[in-house]
Protein backbone atom coordinates (compact mmCIF):
# COMPACT_ATOMS: atom_id res chain seq x y z
CA UNK A 1 0.00 0.00 0.00
CA UNK A 2 1.54 3.26 -1.15
CA UNK A 3 1.30 6.63 0.57
CA UNK A 4 -0.14 9.48 -1.52
CA UNK A 5 0.11 13.04 -0.19
CA UNK A 6 -2.30 15.60 -1.65
CA UNK A 7 -1.18 19.17 -1.00
CA UNK A 8 -4.65 20.80 -1.22
CA UNK A 9 -8.22 19.62 -0.65
CA UNK A 10 -9.84 18.59 -3.94
CA UNK A 11 -13.46 18.22 -5.04
CA UNK A 12 -15.41 15.93 -2.76
CA UNK A 13 -15.32 12.25 -3.67
CA UNK A 14 -12.56 12.58 -6.23
CA UNK A 15 -10.08 10.46 -4.27
CA UNK A 16 -12.48 7.67 -3.28
CA UNK A 17 -11.10 5.10 -5.72
CA UNK A 18 -7.52 5.87 -4.74
CA UNK A 19 -8.30 5.41 -1.05
CA UNK A 20 -9.45 1.83 -1.67
CA UNK A 21 -5.92 0.63 -2.35
CA UNK A 22 -3.62 3.27 -0.89
CA UNK A 23 -3.14 5.59 2.06
CA UNK A 24 -4.14 9.11 1.08
CA UNK A 25 -3.26 12.16 3.18
CA UNK A 26 -4.90 15.44 2.21
CA UNK A 27 -3.25 18.61 3.53
CA UNK A 28 -4.42 22.18 3.62
CA UNK A 29 -2.06 25.17 4.00
CA UNK A 30 -3.06 28.20 6.05
CA UNK A 31 -5.51 30.47 4.25
CA UNK A 32 -3.79 32.30 1.42
CA UNK A 33 -0.39 30.80 2.17
CA UNK A 34 1.94 29.29 -0.41
CA UNK A 35 4.17 26.50 0.83
CA UNK A 36 7.93 26.84 1.05
CA UNK A 37 10.35 24.13 -0.08
CA UNK A 38 10.89 23.14 3.55
CA UNK A 39 7.16 22.75 4.16
CA UNK A 40 6.73 20.69 1.02
CA UNK A 41 9.66 18.47 1.99
CA UNK A 42 8.08 17.87 5.39
CA UNK A 43 4.78 16.91 3.77
CA UNK A 44 6.45 14.60 1.25
CA UNK A 45 8.64 12.79 3.78
CA UNK A 46 8.08 9.07 3.20
CA UNK A 47 5.48 9.62 0.48
CA UNK A 48 5.42 7.59 -2.72
CA UNK A 49 3.34 10.14 -4.62
CA UNK A 50 2.77 13.88 -4.35
CA UNK A 51 -0.39 15.32 -5.87
CA UNK A 52 0.52 18.98 -6.31
CA UNK A 53 -0.86 22.34 -7.45
CA UNK A 54 0.86 25.24 -9.22
CA UNK A 55 1.73 26.97 -5.94
CA UNK A 56 3.88 24.05 -4.75
CA UNK A 57 7.64 24.56 -5.38
CA UNK A 58 8.68 21.07 -6.51
CA UNK A 59 12.39 21.77 -6.80
CA UNK A 60 15.68 19.87 -6.85
CA UNK A 61 15.82 20.23 -3.07
CA UNK A 62 12.45 18.53 -2.74
CA UNK A 63 13.45 15.60 -4.95
CA UNK A 64 16.80 15.20 -3.19
CA UNK A 65 15.20 15.25 0.27
CA UNK A 66 12.46 12.75 -0.64
CA UNK A 67 14.15 9.59 -1.97
CA UNK A 68 10.96 7.51 -1.65
CA UNK A 69 9.12 9.73 -4.11
CA UNK A 70 8.09 7.87 -7.27
CA UNK A 71 5.72 10.35 -8.82
CA UNK A 72 4.44 13.92 -8.88
CA UNK A 73 0.89 14.22 -10.21
CA UNK A 74 0.21 17.86 -11.03
CA UNK A 75 -3.38 19.06 -10.65
CA UNK A 76 -2.96 21.53 -13.53
CA UNK A 77 -1.98 21.76 -17.17
CA UNK A 78 1.06 23.94 -16.43
CA UNK A 79 4.13 22.41 -14.82
CA UNK A 80 6.43 25.43 -14.53
CA UNK A 81 6.56 24.99 -10.73
CA UNK A 82 8.26 21.59 -11.15
CA UNK A 83 11.97 21.14 -11.91
CA UNK A 84 11.55 18.60 -14.70
CA UNK A 85 15.29 18.01 -15.13
CA UNK A 86 15.56 17.19 -11.43
CA UNK A 87 12.56 14.87 -11.66
CA UNK A 88 14.18 12.98 -14.49
CA UNK A 89 17.50 12.80 -12.67
CA UNK A 90 15.79 11.33 -9.60
CA UNK A 91 13.68 8.94 -11.71
CA UNK A 92 10.41 10.56 -10.63
CA UNK A 93 7.46 10.42 -13.04
CA UNK A 94 5.60 13.71 -13.57
CA UNK A 95 2.05 13.88 -14.92
CA UNK A 96 -0.41 16.73 -15.47
CA UNK A 97 -3.96 17.34 -16.74
CA UNK A 98 -3.75 18.54 -20.36
CA UNK A 99 -6.79 19.32 -22.48
CA UNK A 100 -9.42 19.03 -19.77
CA UNK A 101 -9.70 22.72 -18.91
CA UNK A 102 -9.67 24.15 -22.43
CA UNK A 103 -13.31 25.21 -22.63
CA UNK A 104 -13.55 26.31 -18.99
CA UNK A 105 -10.54 28.61 -19.35
CA UNK A 106 -11.67 29.93 -22.74
CA UNK A 107 -15.05 30.76 -21.22
CA UNK A 108 -13.32 32.54 -18.33
CA UNK A 109 -11.20 34.60 -20.72
CA UNK A 110 -14.36 35.73 -22.47
CA UNK A 111 -16.16 36.41 -19.19
CA UNK A 112 -13.29 38.67 -18.15
CA UNK A 113 -13.15 40.38 -21.54
CA UNK A 114 -16.87 41.11 -21.61
CA UNK A 115 -16.77 42.34 -18.03
CA UNK A 116 -13.95 44.74 -18.91
CA UNK A 117 -15.38 45.85 -22.25
CA UNK A 118 -18.84 46.61 -20.82
CA UNK A 119 -17.61 47.75 -17.37
CA UNK A 120 -19.68 45.16 -15.54
CA UNK A 121 -17.90 45.34 -12.12
CA UNK A 122 -18.28 49.13 -12.01
CA UNK A 123 -21.93 48.81 -13.02
CA UNK A 124 -22.55 46.24 -10.29
CA UNK A 125 -20.94 48.52 -7.69
CA UNK A 126 -23.01 51.46 -8.96
CA UNK A 127 -26.27 49.61 -8.39
CA UNK A 128 -25.29 48.05 -5.05
CA UNK A 129 -24.17 51.44 -3.69
CA UNK A 130 -27.59 52.93 -4.40
CA UNK A 131 -26.44 55.33 -7.13
CA UNK A 132 -28.86 54.09 -9.80
CA UNK A 133 -31.53 56.79 -9.74
CA UNK A 134 -32.33 57.09 -13.45
CA UNK A 135 -31.19 55.94 -16.90
CA UNK A 136 -28.35 58.12 -18.21
CA UNK A 137 -27.16 58.57 -21.80
CA UNK A 138 -23.44 58.60 -20.96
CA UNK A 139 -23.28 56.35 -17.89
CA UNK A 140 -20.46 53.76 -17.84
CA UNK A 141 -19.99 53.64 -21.58
CA UNK A 142 -18.13 50.55 -22.73
CA UNK A 143 -16.94 49.29 -26.08
CA UNK A 144 -18.36 46.86 -28.65
CA UNK A 145 -16.35 43.90 -29.90
CA UNK A 146 -17.90 43.25 -33.32
CA UNK A 147 -15.53 44.09 -36.21
CA UNK A 148 -12.67 44.60 -33.75
CA UNK A 149 -9.41 42.62 -33.82
CA UNK A 150 -8.49 40.04 -31.20
CA UNK A 151 -4.79 39.22 -30.94
CA UNK A 152 -4.06 35.83 -29.36
CA UNK A 153 -0.60 35.15 -27.99
CA UNK A 154 -0.35 31.37 -27.98
CA UNK A 155 -2.73 29.57 -30.34
CA UNK A 156 -2.70 26.26 -28.49
CA UNK A 157 -5.78 24.42 -27.26
CA UNK A 158 -7.04 27.27 -25.11
CA UNK A 159 -6.00 30.04 -27.50
CA UNK A 160 -7.79 28.27 -30.35
CA UNK A 161 -10.94 27.87 -28.22
CA UNK A 162 -10.87 31.60 -27.46
CA UNK A 163 -10.41 32.33 -31.17
CA UNK A 164 -13.43 30.21 -32.12
CA UNK A 165 -15.55 32.14 -29.65
CA UNK A 166 -14.26 35.41 -31.14
CA UNK A 167 -15.73 34.42 -34.51
CA UNK A 168 -19.15 34.23 -32.89
CA UNK A 169 -18.73 37.83 -31.75
CA UNK A 170 -17.83 38.96 -35.26
CA UNK A 171 -14.18 39.67 -34.45
CA UNK A 172 -11.13 39.41 -36.67
CA UNK A 173 -8.45 37.13 -35.20
CA UNK A 174 -4.68 37.38 -35.45
CA UNK A 175 -2.20 35.32 -33.48
CA UNK A 176 1.44 34.87 -32.63
CA UNK A 177 3.27 31.68 -31.67
CA UNK A 178 6.93 30.83 -31.45
CA UNK A 179 6.16 28.41 -34.28
CA UNK A 180 3.26 28.80 -36.67
CA UNK A 181 0.10 26.81 -35.85
CA UNK A 182 -1.12 23.87 -37.89
CA UNK A 183 -2.89 25.11 -41.06
CA UNK A 184 -6.02 23.20 -40.01
CA UNK A 185 -6.18 25.18 -36.76
CA UNK A 186 -5.68 28.41 -38.70
CA UNK A 187 -8.59 27.52 -40.98
CA UNK A 188 -10.87 26.47 -38.11
CA UNK A 189 -10.26 29.70 -36.23
CA UNK A 190 -9.82 32.03 -39.25
CA UNK A 191 -6.70 33.22 -37.44
CA UNK A 192 -3.94 35.02 -39.31
CA UNK A 193 -0.33 34.63 -38.16
CA UNK A 194 1.54 37.90 -37.47
CA UNK A 195 4.68 38.89 -35.64
CA UNK A 196 4.20 39.92 -32.02
CA UNK A 197 4.92 43.59 -32.69
CA UNK A 198 2.19 43.73 -35.32
CA UNK A 199 -0.25 41.87 -33.08
CA UNK A 200 0.30 44.35 -30.27
CA UNK A 201 -0.04 47.41 -32.45
CA UNK A 202 -3.14 46.33 -34.39
CA UNK A 203 -5.25 44.41 -31.83
CA UNK A 204 -8.15 45.88 -29.89
CA UNK A 205 -7.94 42.93 -27.48
CA UNK A 206 -4.72 41.10 -26.59
CA UNK A 207 -5.45 37.73 -24.96
CA UNK A 208 -2.57 35.74 -23.46
CA UNK A 209 -2.50 31.93 -23.66
CA UNK A 210 1.20 31.08 -23.78
CA UNK A 211 3.08 28.88 -21.26
CA UNK A 212 5.44 30.49 -18.77
CA UNK A 213 9.13 29.97 -19.52
CA UNK A 214 12.23 32.11 -19.68
CA UNK A 215 11.24 33.43 -23.10
CA UNK A 216 7.73 34.42 -22.05
CA UNK A 217 8.47 35.83 -18.58
CA UNK A 218 7.54 39.54 -18.74
CA UNK A 219 6.78 39.12 -22.44
CA UNK A 220 4.27 41.92 -21.93
CA UNK A 221 6.60 44.56 -20.51
CA UNK A 222 6.65 48.34 -20.77
CA UNK A 223 7.82 48.22 -24.39
CA UNK A 224 5.10 45.76 -25.38
CA UNK A 225 2.42 47.76 -23.60
CA UNK A 226 3.70 50.88 -25.33
CA UNK A 227 3.00 49.28 -28.71
CA UNK A 228 -0.64 48.57 -27.87
CA UNK A 229 -3.54 50.82 -28.88
CA UNK A 230 -4.77 53.37 -26.37
CA UNK A 231 -8.21 51.73 -26.56
CA UNK A 232 -6.93 48.14 -26.24
CA UNK A 233 -7.81 45.67 -23.48
CA UNK A 234 -5.30 43.13 -22.15
CA UNK A 235 -6.64 39.74 -20.97
CA UNK A 236 -4.46 37.27 -19.09
CA UNK A 237 -5.62 33.77 -18.20
CA UNK A 238 -2.19 32.20 -18.83
CA UNK A 239 0.43 32.84 -16.13
CA UNK A 240 0.80 36.00 -14.09
CA UNK A 241 4.50 36.45 -14.75
CA UNK A 242 3.93 36.73 -18.51
CA UNK A 243 2.95 40.33 -17.67
CA UNK A 244 5.15 42.87 -15.89
CA UNK A 245 2.52 44.06 -13.42
CA UNK A 246 4.40 47.22 -12.47
CA UNK A 247 4.62 48.19 -16.14
CA UNK A 248 0.92 47.39 -16.57
CA UNK A 249 -0.01 49.69 -13.70
CA UNK A 250 2.03 52.47 -15.30
CA UNK A 251 0.37 51.93 -18.68
CA UNK A 252 -3.12 51.96 -17.16
CA UNK A 253 -2.38 55.05 -15.10
CA UNK A 254 -1.06 56.87 -18.16
CA UNK A 255 -4.00 55.80 -20.31
CA UNK A 256 -1.68 53.96 -22.68
CA UNK A 257 -4.19 51.10 -22.79
CA UNK A 258 -7.89 51.17 -21.96
CA UNK A 259 -8.13 48.30 -19.51
CA UNK A 260 -7.10 44.85 -18.35
CA UNK A 261 -8.81 41.65 -17.23
CA UNK A 262 -6.64 39.34 -15.15
CA UNK A 263 -7.21 35.87 -13.71
CA UNK A 264 -3.54 35.30 -12.79
CA UNK A 265 -0.87 37.36 -11.06
CA UNK A 266 2.91 37.51 -10.74
CA UNK A 267 3.07 36.75 -7.02
CA UNK A 268 -0.18 34.92 -6.27
CA UNK A 269 -2.04 35.33 -4.05
CA UNK A 270 -0.55 38.85 -3.76
CA UNK A 271 -1.79 41.38 -6.29
CA UNK A 272 0.05 44.57 -7.20
CA UNK A 273 -1.70 47.31 -5.16
CA UNK A 274 -1.75 49.59 -8.19
CA UNK A 275 -4.09 47.17 -9.96
CA UNK A 276 -6.55 47.40 -7.09
CA UNK A 277 -6.85 51.14 -7.64
CA UNK A 278 -7.77 50.90 -11.32
CA UNK A 279 -11.50 50.97 -12.09
CA UNK A 280 -10.79 49.76 -15.63
CA UNK A 281 -9.29 46.49 -14.40
CA UNK A 282 -11.25 43.28 -13.76
CA UNK A 283 -9.60 40.90 -11.28
CA UNK A 284 -10.38 37.23 -10.58
CA UNK A 285 -8.71 34.76 -8.15
CA UNK A 286 -7.32 32.25 -10.70
CA UNK A 287 -10.67 30.75 -11.71
CA UNK A 288 -9.79 29.56 -15.21
CA UNK A 289 -10.57 25.91 -14.53
CA UNK A 290 -13.11 26.58 -11.78
CA UNK A 291 -16.13 24.65 -12.95
CA UNK A 292 -17.43 21.59 -11.15
CA UNK A 293 -17.11 19.52 -14.31
CA UNK A 294 -13.52 20.50 -15.04
CA UNK A 295 -12.17 20.29 -11.51
CA UNK A 296 -13.77 16.85 -11.07
CA UNK A 297 -12.24 15.58 -14.29
CA UNK A 298 -8.83 16.95 -13.26
CA UNK A 299 -8.94 14.80 -10.10
CA UNK A 300 -9.95 11.77 -12.15
CA UNK A 301 -6.99 12.32 -14.49
CA UNK A 302 -4.57 12.59 -11.56
CA UNK A 303 -5.99 9.44 -9.96
CA UNK A 304 -5.80 7.57 -13.27
CA UNK A 305 -2.13 8.49 -13.63
CA UNK A 306 -1.31 7.63 -10.01
CA UNK A 307 -2.98 4.21 -10.16
CA UNK A 308 -1.11 3.39 -13.36
CA UNK A 309 2.24 4.35 -11.84
CA UNK A 310 1.67 2.46 -8.59
CA UNK A 311 0.49 -0.64 -10.42
CA UNK A 312 3.70 -0.73 -12.44
CA UNK A 313 2.03 -0.04 -15.78
CA UNK A 314 4.37 0.65 -18.68
CA UNK A 315 2.10 3.32 -20.13
CA UNK A 316 1.25 6.14 -17.72
CA UNK A 317 -1.48 8.49 -18.97
CA UNK A 318 -0.94 12.25 -19.06
CA UNK A 319 2.82 11.84 -18.51
CA UNK A 320 5.10 14.86 -18.91
CA UNK A 321 8.35 13.25 -17.66
Amino acid sequence: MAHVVVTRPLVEGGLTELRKDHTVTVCDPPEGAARSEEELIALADGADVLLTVLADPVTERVFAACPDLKMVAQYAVGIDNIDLDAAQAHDVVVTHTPGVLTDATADMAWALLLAAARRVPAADDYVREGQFERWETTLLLGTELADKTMGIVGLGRIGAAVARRALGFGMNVVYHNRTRANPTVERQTSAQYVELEELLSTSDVVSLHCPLNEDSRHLIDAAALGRMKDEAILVNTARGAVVDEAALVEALSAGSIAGAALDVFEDEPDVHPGLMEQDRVVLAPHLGSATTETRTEMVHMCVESIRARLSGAEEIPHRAV
Side-chain angles (χ1 to χ4, degrees):
M1 182 176 286
H3 184 200
V4 179
V5 172
V6 184
T7 66
R8 296 286 175 101
L10 304 178
V11 292
E12 188 172 351
L15 300 171
T16 301
E17 289 300 311
L18 197 60
R19 293 183 190 276
K20 292 179 180 178
D21 303 311
H22 306 289
T23 301
V24 179
T25 302
V26 179
C27 308
D28 192 7
E31 186 70 24
R35 286 196 174 89
S36 65
E37 288 176 300
E38 291 76 13
E39 290 168 329
L40 194 59
I41 288 168
L43 287 183
D45 185 30
D48 299 282
V49 176
L50 263 181
L51 199 162
T52 56
V53 298
L54 281 166
D56 296 321
V58 192
T59 62
E60 163 63 34
R61 283 188 61 204
V62 174
F63 289 118
C66 303
D68 296 325
L69 200 60
K70 300 179 178 67
M71 179 182 187
V72 174
Q74 175 91 329
Y75 182 76
V77 174
I79 48 179
D80 44 87
N81 60 307
I82 303 172
D83 187 331
L84 300 181
D85 291 335
Q88 197 163 23
H90 288 272
D91 196 28
V92 176
V93 170
V94 177
T95 63
H96 61 148
T97 59
V100 66
L101 49 71
T102 297
D103 285 324
T105 305
D107 285 350
M108 186 64 189
W110 268 94
L112 288 169
L113 171 56
L114 289 169
R118 294 303 303 268
R119 306 189 66 184
V120 173
D124 183 80
D125 288 344
Y126 188 83
V127 174
R128 291 177 187 277
E129 292 168 2
Q131 299 182 64
F132 183 31
E133 297 179 353
R134 66 178 190 181
W135 182 82
E136 299 283 357
T137 59
T138 58
L139 176 65
L140 293 169
L141 297 181
T143 186
E144 296 182 13
L145 297 174
D147 297 321
K148 302 288 177 64
T149 296
M150 170 173 278
I152 294 178
V153 181
L155 196 71
R157 289 190 184 98
I158 297 172
V162 169
R164 287 193 293 272
R165 286 157 173 77
L167 298 180
F169 279 82
M171 299 189 76
N172 306 306
V173 180
V174 297
Y175 81 96
H176 179 77
N177 278 358
R178 285 188 297 178
T179 57
R180 189 161 178 165
N182 185 294
T184 300
V185 175
E186 289 186 340
R187 286 195 300 273
Q188 291 173 342
T189 58
S190 297
Q192 177 186 354
Y193 175 83
V194 296
E195 294 298 331
L196 181 60
E197 291 76 11
E198 182 179 348
L199 182 150
L200 293 170
S201 64
T202 60
S203 296
D204 300 286
V205 176
V206 175
S207 193
L208 305 177
H209 303 285
C210 53
L212 178 63
N213 51 45
E214 288 311 307
D215 292 332
S216 65
R217 187 177 297 277
H218 282 191
L219 179 70
I220 307 302
D221 56 10
L225 291 162
R227 294 188 182 97
M228 291 174 62
K229 293 181 176 183
D230 291 350
E231 61 271 24
I233 298 171
L234 176 69
V235 181
N236 189 10
T237 55
R239 289 290 178 269
V242 173
V243 177
D244 182 340
E245 285 185 5
L248 176 58
V249 170
E250 289 293 326
L252 290 163
S253 299
S256 300
I257 65 171
L262 311 173
D263 188 42
V264 289
F265 306 93
E266 276 196 82
D267 300 306
E268 292 183 18
D270 296 329
V271 178
H272 193 295
L275 292 173
M276 302 285 202
E277 300 167 1
Q278 298 287 336
D279 64 1
R280 293 281 186 157
V281 175
V282 179
L283 307 173
H286 205 146
L287 297 178
S289 64
T291 67
T292 301
E293 297 87 347
T294 293
R295 292 280 174 90
T296 299
E297 183 58 26
M298 288 169 69
V299 180
H300 289 163
M301 292 174 74
C302 288
V303 169
E304 180 186 17
S305 299
I306 291 168
R307 295 183 76 183
R309 175 70 173 108
L310 294 178
S311 68
E314 290 186 12
E315 295 294 327
I316 300 172
H318 322 304
R319 184 170 184 170
V321 171

